[in-house]
Amino acid sequence: MRFATKAIHAGQEPDPSTGAVMTPIYQTSTYWQKSPGEHKGFEYSRGTNPTRKALEECLAALENATFGLAFSSGMAATDAIMKLLKPGDEVITGSDLYGGSYRMFTRIFAAYGINFHFIDLSSPENIVPYLNTKTKLIWLETPTNPTMQIVDIAGVSKIAKAHNVLLTVDNTFASPYLQNPIDLGADIVMHSATKYLGGHSDVVMGAVMLNDEDLYKKLWFIYNACGATPGPMDSFLVLRGIKTLHLRMKAHCENGEKVASFLKAHFRVDKVYWPGFNDHPNHLVAKKQMRDFGGMISFTLKGAALKETFETASKFKVFTLAESLGGVESLINHPVSMTHASIPKEAREAVGVVDNLLRLSVGVEDIEDLLEDLEQALR
Ligand SMILES: *Cc1c(COP(=O)(O)O)cnc(C)c1O
């Protein structure tokens, strides 16, 4: 099956008991057993639920993976992956990372004795000096949040495999429509399904996809034992959202390209971060590993201080000033005070997360309305 067909059908069959075309919301915590242990594969909904199971099969299919696991948030998915590690283990990750991941690594797992190296991943060779016998995991994000840097997944994977280190890719920004890290050699793909997969800003969820059965069993054990699994209603919402993922992503990419070009030509705009530009430092890698360039764009306001940046951010009428991304509606975000507030000033400024940076999640509204909104807000 190809992408759109999988998005609509994978994991889903008409309900055997009624013929319902849509997967029912199995709103139940527990399941009848004919005699102890004799059941239809479902015992208790923390571990297994039919609505979630349909979603997990669909998630796996979208990433060309064998196994999928849904978690109650993107951070819960990350938490489960990090629990594969032991005190003394080392992780190599990017210096330009989702704020919540940085916060979890430095303030939760560092205290459990896991050591993190936050490095510039723009070139895979940068990893080599940090590898040693304690290195167990490479964690990367591409495009990065919020400066849209591109990391060469196949290049990093080659180094990871040569040193027997697991590679996890946070594929939230690209979505499985634009990029499939497992095909490029990653061991684990993680998503905040809250974003493009759900696509309608009405649910918080995480996902993990992978091929290795032993690793899947370890992760399933953590998932069930620690219990950060989503309920059937949320599972249904993401299953429903995914049915239009390909249509939405096409529109996000089309609008994204037009908004990026508009910003690049605007007199009040200094830098524009978008991997589709020929002069983006890793444009060729983006072209190689992504099918298109997406609707996430960051830009700096020329010479603006914090106050002027706040004023501009508050002027938008179609773009909504809010955290998060990947929904049908356009959002504007001020990373320093919103999504990236948990990263220390020096660390964020070193990677370009400065006071006058704004991030857009370009939605699927009419492009004319989006450009007019940008025009009036930047006037
Ligand atoms: C939002 C986000 C997360 C966290 O996901 P939640 O669903 O909010 O817990 C992780 N990584 C990236 C890149 C994100 O954008």
Side-chain angles (χ1 to χ4, degrees):
M1 274 196 277
R2 293 164 184 81
F3 192 87
T5 314
K6 288 193 284 193
I8 296 167
H9 295 289
Q12 299 156 76
E13 292 287 335
D15 179 49
S17 60
T18 62
V21 167
M22 283 300 294
T23 305
I25 302 162
Y26 285 93
Q27 195 74 48
T28 186
S29 61
T30 189
Y31 305 82
W32 169 62
Q33 307 197 5
K34 193 169 179 200
S35 68
E38 195 184 332
H39 53 71
K40 297 175 191 296
F42 299 97
E43 293 170 79
Y44 185 61
S45 278
R46 180 177 358 93
T48 43
N49 174 279
T51 317
R52 194 197 307 148
K53 182 166 177 277
L55 169 65
E56 290 175 336
E57 286 179 16
C58 186
L59 289 167
L62 294 180
E63 286 289 9
N64 303 325
T66 311
F67 304 105
L69 288 168
F71 287 85
S72 56
S73 68
M75 293 325 295
T78 302
D79 177 65
I81 296 167
M82 298 316 291
K83 284 174 178 158
L84 292 166
L85 304 177
K86 294 194 174 55
D89 287 351
E90 294 190 13
V91 178
I92 299 171
T93 186
S95 47
D96 187 8
L97 202 63
Y98 173 68
S101 305
Y102 179 87
R103 179 173 59 190
M104 179 190 282
F105 295 170
T106 54
R107 304 206 19 213
I108 307 285
F109 285 102
Y112 289 120
I114 293 165
N115 299 311
F116 295 87
H117 301 281
F118 296 93
I119 69 165
D120 169 15
L121 291 177
S122 61
S123 169
E125 295 73 49
N126 295 355
I127 291 170
V128 176
Y130 294 90
L131 286 163
N132 62 53
T133 53
K134 294 180 193 148
T135 314
K136 292 290 150 59
L137 179 71
I138 298 170
W139 181 283
L140 69 85
E141 217 179 288
T142 181
T144 64
N145 177 11
T147 57
M148 314 302 152
Q149 301 307 299
I150 300 293
V151 182
D152 179 351
I153 300 172
V156 173
S157 147
K158 240 184 237 154
I159 296 172
K161 282 197 168 42
H163 292 82
N164 211 12
V165 173
L166 281 181
L167 171 61
T168 297
V169 176
D170 178 342
N171 202 28
T172 301
F173 265 43
S175 88
Y177 177 80
L178 295 181
Q179 174 175 287
N180 296 119
I182 288 176
D183 294 346
L184 300 165
D187 299 291
I188 302 176
V189 175
M190 172 265 160
H191 280 274
S192 168
T194 313
K195 318 293 169 53
Y196 287 109
L197 287 168
H200 296 75
S201 306
D202 52 6
V203 63
V204 171
M205 195 182 292
V208 171
M209 296 81 150
L210 71 167
N211 280 341
D212 184 90
E213 187 164 7
D214 283 344
L215 202 53
Y216 167 72
K217 283 183 178 155
K218 281 183 195 160
L219 277 167
W220 193 87
F221 179 81
I222 295 166
Y223 155 108
N224 182 52
C226 297
T229 55
M233 182 69 202
D234 285 356
S235 301
F236 174 83
L237 285 171
V238 175
L239 205 47
R240 186 186 210 269
I242 286 172
K243 287 181 190 290
T244 55
L245 179 62
H246 53 295
L247 303 173
R248 289 185 282 108
M249 290 310 299
K250 261 184 216 147
H252 284 298
C253 292
E254 271 175 37
N255 282 354
E257 182 175 3
K258 292 185 178 128
V259 168
S261 306
F262 172 91
L263 289 170
K264 200 167 195 179
H266 201 281
F267 72 97
R268 278 196 64 207
V269 174
D270 189 9
K271 292 197 179 82
V272 183
Y273 298 98
W274 185 64
F277 289 132
N278 288 329
D279 60 358
H280 180 288
N282 262 336
H283 176 67
L284 292 178
V285 179
K287 236 173 133 167
K288 193 179 67 176
Q289 70 187 18
M290 300 172 75
R291 293 180 194 96
D292 206 336
F293 304 109
M296 293 304 299
I297 303 165
S298 295
F299 65 99
T300 53
L301 283 175
K302 208 173 271 171
L306 196 60
K307 183 166 172 283
E308 185 187 336
T309 310
F310 272 25
E311 279 165 9
T312 302
S314 311
K315 271 200 205 157
F316 285 84
K317 297 192 170 97
V318 180
F319 283 84
T320 304
L321 180 61
E323 295 195 12
S324 199
L325 60 112
V328 288
E329 63 286 294
S330 292
L331 301 179
I332 182 163
N333 164 59
H334 181 249
V336 164
S337 62
M338 296 165 72
T339 46
H340 290 65
S342 55
I343 303 182
K345 190 174 163 74
E346 311 78 68
R348 62 175 158 73
E349 289 195 341
V351 292
V353 185
V354 291
D355 285 353
N356 59 343
L357 183 78
L358 292 168
R359 188 190 78 186
L360 301 178
S361 171
V362 179
V364 302
E365 299 94 336
D366 290 305
I367 186 65
E368 295 81 2
D369 291 323
L370 297 180
L371 296 181
E372 280 167 27
D373 195 33
L374 281 159
E375 188 74 65
Q376 66 80 23
L378 292 174
R379 190 168 291 146

